[in-house]
């Protein structure tokens, strides 16, 4: 197939990183006893959301029911999903990637693109070595395997990362494109959904190579613009740039929980406090502090009652925020009204680093420094043993048997220490 450009090496290069069986791999990394064993995640939903490679080898697939798995494969370890844990691992994984390549687009919780252009000279390394170093650093630091693909465009990089799994590293240079497209069904090309694949087949296009080899005239005649763009990308011509993700995506963070309507004051406050713990945990993982706290309660009639607090100092520490939360709750709570949902929003998020620089040597910096150290230890423990291991005492009434709504569940703390 004649390629118009990029026959020689990589004038431009895009890396695609995909963590393998991500949720299950994180569970195995956190608990080494699970290493090498078939692990399935998704117990609380009743459906398999992730399978370890050992489980895949048995024939377990995503989307199977948990009941089916239990029946057919009694040896499989089945776990609840813990999205906070996975998002923390995701942040850490992308932080490692950003150390190598400054332009990183976080595409999903376990996938990212990075622009490698110009990095060979800067790092004095080949693209292959850069890819290998990223993989090895992630494996060493986090204990999870990723597959990496490097090629001229996003569409080709995705094909490359998918080529060898798990733990793969595949480079597709301009002159090798046809080798990788030949046996790839066109339906597996990123952006070609079932409908477009059906149209392709009608026109006699079955493999990715058939599509890439078609003439421009043919493509323009039969397909819409998105397919034309994919056609270009398959031929090594960049259409889709890598757009760096920024922390601005997280201008606010909210956490809420629903339950069977209740007027139990202690229970409602505990639920609110627990939501605050979760929101603060997430903000800390992103290195963010909030300037505003919004507390809301939804009553039985679905009316929302909210109260907003502006903090004198931005914070992501429940120890500082709980007294404010309690005051807000006292204003919102009404006797003899049943509430069905409570939640918190951390708003006006600001980067911790920027804030600390602006503080210079004001007195507050010390107390915030202590809190930061304290919560760093708390977070470590909760990541390892579960998110309710260390919580503030006010959250404890959650452990009172209360019927939670279907689909939501709370573990009972193994050990709770009052941090106040
Ligand atoms: Mg993946």
């Amino acid at each position: 197939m004649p390629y118009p450009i990029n026959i020689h090496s990589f004038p431009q290069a895009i890396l695609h990183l995909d963590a393998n069986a991500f949720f299950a791999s994180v569970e195995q990394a956190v608990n080494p006893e699970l290493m090498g064993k078939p692990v399935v995640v998704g117990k609380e939903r009743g459906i398999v959301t992730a399978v370890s490679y050992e489980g895949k080898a048995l024939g377990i697939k995503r989307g199977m029911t948990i009941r089916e798995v239990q029946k057919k494969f009694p040896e499989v370890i089945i776990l609840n999903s813990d999205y906070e844990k996975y998002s923390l691992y995701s942040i850490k994984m992308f932080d490692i990637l950003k150390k190598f390549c400054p332009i990183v687009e976080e595409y999903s919780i376990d996938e990212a693109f990075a622009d490698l252009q110009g990095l060979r000279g800067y790092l004095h390394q080949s693209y292959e070595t850069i890819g290998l170093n990223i993989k090895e650093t992630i494996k060493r630091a986090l204990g999870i395997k990723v597959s990496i693909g490097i090629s001229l465009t996003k569409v080709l990089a995705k094909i490359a990362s998918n080529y060898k799994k798990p733990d793969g590293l595949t480079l597709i240079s301009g002159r090798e494109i046809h080798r990788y497209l030949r046996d790839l069904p066109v339906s597996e090309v990123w952006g070609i959904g079932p409908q477009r694949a059906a149209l392709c087949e009608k026109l006699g296009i079955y493999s990715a190579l058939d599509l890439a080899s078609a003439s421009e005239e043919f493509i323009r005649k039969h397909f819409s613009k998105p397919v034309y763009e994919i056609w270009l990308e398959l031929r090594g011509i960049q259409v889709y740039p890598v757009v760096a993700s920024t922390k601005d995506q997280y201008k606010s963070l909210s956490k809420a929980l629903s339950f069977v309507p209740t007027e139990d004051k202690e229970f409602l406050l505990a639920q609110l406090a627990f939501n605050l713990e979760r929101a603060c945990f997430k903000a800390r993982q992103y290195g963010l502090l909030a300037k505003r706290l919004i507390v809301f309660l939804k009553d039985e009639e679905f009316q929302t009652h909210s109260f907003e607090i502006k903090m004198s100092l931005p914070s992501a520490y429940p120890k500082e925020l709980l007294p404010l939360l309690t005051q807000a709750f006292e204003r919102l709570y009404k006797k003899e009204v049943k509430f069905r949902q409570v939640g918190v929003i951390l708003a006006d998020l600001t980067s911790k680093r920027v804030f600390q620089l602006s503080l210079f040597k004001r007195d507050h910096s010390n107390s915030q420094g202590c809190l930061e150290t304290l919560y760093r230890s708390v977070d470590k423990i909760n990541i390892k043993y579960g998110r309710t291991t260390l919580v503030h005492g006010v959250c404890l009434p959650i452990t009172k048997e209360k019927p939670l709504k279907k689909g939501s569940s709370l573990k009972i703390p193994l050990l709770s220490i009052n941090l106040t």
Side-chain angles (χ1 to χ4, degrees):
M1 174 182 64
Y3 278 100
I5 59 146
N6 299 332
I7 292 301
H8 308 289
S9 74
F10 291 96
Q12 72 210 14
I14 289 178
L15 176 147
H16 181 248
L17 176 147
D18 189 354
N20 307 130
F22 185 56
F23 297 170
S25 301
V26 170
E27 295 293 352
Q28 288 176 319
V30 173
N31 182 359
E33 277 180 27
L34 301 178
M35 279 292 181
K37 292 184 184 160
V39 175
V40 155
V41 174
K43 190 178 181 180
E44 80 293 349
R45 289 179 57 194
I47 269 180
V48 177
T49 50
V51 197
S52 72
Y53 273 83
E54 298 81 4
K56 283 183 187 175
L58 294 174
I60 302 170
K61 291 199 169 73
R62 278 172 60 171
M64 276 169 84
T65 65
I66 294 292
R67 195 174 294 175
E68 199 181 341
V69 174
Q70 282 167 329
K71 218 169 157 188
K72 285 192 192 159
F73 313 99
E75 72 275 31
V76 171
I77 297 151
I78 299 168
L79 303 170
N80 286 324
S81 331
D82 184 345
Y83 290 98
E84 273 162 54
K85 203 194 287 171
Y86 310 145
S87 82
L88 173 68
Y89 265 73
S90 169
I91 296 164
K92 287 185 173 177
M93 180 169 76
F94 295 148
D95 278 349
I96 293 172
L97 183 58
K98 283 172 201 161
K99 281 194 184 132
F100 289 88
C101 343
I103 302 172
V104 170
E105 178 180 336
E106 297 174 19
Y107 184 69
S108 72
I109 193 163
D110 70 337
E111 273 183 62
F113 290 100
D115 194 339
L116 296 186
Q117 192 161 13
L119 286 182
R120 271 186 306 188
Y122 176 71
L123 296 172
H124 302 292
Q125 286 172 352
S126 67
Y127 287 142
E128 188 165 10
T129 313
I130 297 171
L132 206 60
N133 283 340
I134 292 169
K135 256 163 63 72
E136 292 307 313
T137 311
I138 290 172
K139 210 188 289 174
R140 220 178 315 121
L142 305 178
I144 59 172
K145 290 176 185 166
V146 300
S147 285
I148 284 180
I150 299 173
S151 192
L152 301 164
T153 65
K154 274 186 165 177
V155 169
L156 290 171
K158 249 185 109 75
I159 290 170
S161 69
N162 204 31
Y163 189 75
K164 190 169 172 262
K165 277 179 170 181
D167 211 14
L169 173 65
T170 307
L171 279 85
I172 304 179
S173 67
R175 69 175 69 147
E176 293 172 309
I177 295 175
H178 64 280
R179 277 187 38 213
Y180 290 88
L181 302 191
R182 202 167 37 213
D183 300 323
L184 186 71
V186 71
S187 58
E188 285 183 26
V189 175
W190 189 40
I192 303 283
Q195 264 186 343
R196 285 174 186 157
L199 176 57
C200 283
E201 287 189 14
K202 239 190 228 169
L203 296 165
I205 292 171
Y206 300 99
S207 71
L209 187 61
D210 293 340
L211 184 64
S213 316
S215 71
E216 179 165 358
E217 199 192 348
F218 180 86
I219 297 290
R220 282 187 177 276
K221 188 175 164 202
H222 294 287
F223 294 99
S224 55
K225 195 172 160 226
V227 176
Y228 174 63
E229 290 174 348
I230 293 165
W231 174 79
L232 287 171
E233 287 250 328
L234 282 174
R235 294 167 73 92
I237 300 163
Q238 252 183 36
V239 180
Y240 308 128
V242 177
V243 182
S245 312
T246 62
K247 283 184 179 156
D248 289 349
Q249 289 171 318
Y250 308 102
K251 287 210 168 101
S252 70
L253 273 170
S254 63
K255 290 281 175 195
L257 277 171
S258 300
F259 30 79
V260 177
T262 174
E263 47 186 79
D264 183 337
K265 194 175 176 184
E266 209 187 358
F267 173 79
L268 290 167
L269 180 60
Q271 289 288 352
L272 260 182
F274 186 62
N275 281 315
L276 181 72
E277 296 257 14
R278 289 165 68 215
C280 285
F281 170 81
K282 190 147 193 191
R284 289 195 298 274
Q285 301 313 319
Y286 283 96
L288 297 170
L289 300 172
K291 292 182 189 161
R292 283 188 300 140
L293 169 66
I294 298 147
V295 179
F296 64 89
L297 278 71
K298 198 182 272 181
D299 66 26
E300 215 177 357
E301 313 294 314
F302 292 92
Q303 290 289 321
T304 302
H305 312 266
S306 67
F307 192 81
E308 185 181 322
I309 301 154
K310 273 203 177 112
M311 272 83 84
S312 52
L313 278 172
S315 175
Y317 309 113
K319 195 175 182 328
E320 280 185 325
L321 299 176
L322 272 171
L324 304 172
L325 177 103
T326 310
Q327 283 172 26
F329 174 71
E330 289 294 344
R331 283 172 178 255
L332 295 171
Y333 177 79
K334 286 187 197 81
K335 257 187 182 170
E336 282 153 30
V337 174
K338 285 186 175 175
F339 293 95
R340 59 170 64 243
Q341 189 189 49
V342 298
V344 302
I345 302 168
L346 294 177
D348 277 352
L349 294 169
T350 174
S351 156
K352 197 178 350 182
R353 218 172 304 156
V354 172
F355 170 68
Q356 281 168 342
L357 284 174
S358 70
L359 259 183
F360 203 47
K361 278 186 180 164
R362 273 158 65 190
D363 294 343
H364 307 294
S365 57
N366 270 340
S367 70
Q368 283 244 338
C370 290
L371 282 172
E372 203 183 320
T373 314
L374 169 68
Y375 279 99
R376 207 176 295 141
S377 312
V378 170
D379 292 345
K380 261 190 202 157
I381 293 168
N382 283 341
I383 288 159
K384 186 145 190 208
Y385 299 104
R387 61 186 186 177
T388 55
T389 311
L390 272 183
V391 291
H392 283 263
V394 66
C395 299
L396 290 185
I398 285 178
T399 59
K400 284 207 294 191
E401 289 288 317
K402 275 279 165 187
L404 282 162
K405 255 197 169 165
K406 235 184 159 182
S408 57
S409 65
L410 277 177
K411 273 188 283 178
I412 291 174
L414 298 167
L415 157 79
S416 291
I417 297 171
N418 198 335
L419 292 167
T420 44

